[in-house]
Amino acid sequence: MESGSATVTSGGHWFNATRDSIEHYVPGLLKKVDYENLILDAVEWIESTDSIALVLYFILVFYIPVWLATVVSAGFYLIWYYNKSAFVNLAMTPVLKLINHDAFQIGIAAIALSFLGIYGNYAGLLIGIIFFFLFKVGLLRLAINWAEGKWMEKKMNSDEDQSTKNQLSLNDRVLKMILIRHSIREDAIPRDVQSMEDHLKEAFLKFKEKRARGFKKKQ
């Protein structure tokens, strides 16, 4: 669903961009790539945090101690969650689409959990079930988003440095890299990458201010 200054997907992923803003900063790109596909590519990278961490655990738990597999998977989750935009690669997007698919994740989980039960690795089985709900359902991502929302509201009511408030959201950082990658592929050079980032920051700041005003009214 696209509003005047933002786009939100059915999965609840929010982007501070619209067709008009993309067309303005990357002229001609939307004639070669559908806007929906740009958003969906960004969503695949956003959701890859959950799916890759889940698959990673189900692989590692058969080769290393359960506690170490748990720590590595959780650590990877946090690193990838906050830094995935730096690794955006269009050639990898179809692979992520496969890994993100429900059938793939459920199949991997069913096989791995079955073998963990057969081999009597009940600790690995229990953590695998917990991780499945945290990652597959997206509960951990929702919890982090909720915590960041509270942190954002606190920042908006404090005297923190303005540069902290103007940081791009994680979703917008991913979308920005998707746009740049598609621009290079389609030879549609962005008019001004910095201006595009400034626009996203401005839209995100307006969104945060609305959230902060809503938070004040609740108080």
Side-chain angles (χ1 to χ4, degrees):
M1 183 176 66
E2 185 179 349
S3 66
S5 61
T7 299
V8 61
T9 71
S10 58
H13 301 292
W14 184 289
F15 300 92
N16 293 291
T18 62
R19 286 178 174 81
D20 291 339
S21 63
I22 299 305
E23 179 60 31
H24 177 76
Y25 292 107
V26 195
L29 180 61
L30 295 184
K31 295 179 181 179
K32 301 178 180 180
V33 185
D34 289 339
Y35 181 68
E36 290 83 358
N37 290 336
L38 293 173
I39 296 296
L40 290 175
D41 282 352
V43 169
E44 295 296 349
W45 280 89
I46 292 169
E47 295 185 346
S48 69
T49 304
D50 300 296
S51 55
I52 296 178
L54 181 64
V55 172
L56 180 62
Y57 172 79
F58 283 133
I59 293 174
L60 293 179
V61 73
F62 290 101
Y63 296 98
I64 60 178
V66 174
W67 69 268
L68 185 56
T70 302
V71 171
V72 171
S73 300
F76 172 85
Y77 184 98
L78 293 175
I79 292 173
W80 191 260
Y81 179 85
Y82 287 105
N83 299 280
K84 56 185 173 288
S85 60
F87 303 99
V88 169
N89 186 319
L90 297 183
M92 286 296 298
T93 305
V95 178
L96 295 182
K97 185 176 182 179
L98 172 63
I99 297 175
N100 290 343
H101 199 282
D102 288 345
F104 180 86
Q105 293 184 48
I106 293 174
I108 290 291
I111 294 172
L113 293 174
S114 296
F115 275 103
L116 288 171
I118 292 172
Y119 292 136
N121 190 344
Y122 299 116
L125 176 63
L126 177 60
I127 295 176
I129 294 173
I130 293 173
F131 272 7
F132 181 80
F133 283 102
L134 287 177
F135 297 158
K136 174 63 185 70
V137 182
L139 296 179
L140 182 57
R141 176 160 43 86
L142 291 174
I144 293 177
N145 289 340
W146 177 84
E148 287 185 338
K150 293 298 182 180
W151 176 83
M152 176 188 70
E153 292 167 354
K154 183 177 180 181
K155 289 290 184 181
M156 291 299 296
N157 289 285
S158 67
D159 295 326
E160 295 289 336
D161 182 66
Q162 189 65 29
S163 61
T164 301
K165 297 180 181 180
N166 288 337
Q167 289 180 351
L168 273 179
S169 71
L170 295 175
N171 287 3
D172 287 335
R173 282 163 54 185
V174 172
L175 179 59
K176 174 189 170 184
M177 292 307 301
I178 290 291
L179 291 174
I180 292 174
R181 299 300 185 192
H182 273 290
S183 298
I184 295 173
R185 171 183 286 186
E186 303 295 340
D187 196 26
I189 306 301
R191 177 175 296 172
D192 188 340
V193 174
Q194 184 58 47
S195 295
M196 179 174 65
E197 181 170 333
D198 290 341
H199 167 80
L200 293 173
K201 286 181 178 179
E202 181 181 358
F204 185 48
L205 184 59
K206 289 180 180 178
F207 170 69
K208 290 195 293 185
E209 288 175 345
K210 289 180 180 179
R211 285 282 300 274
R213 286 197 295 268
F215 179 71
K216 288 181 178 179
K217 288 181 179 180
K218 290 180 180 179
Q219 290 181 322

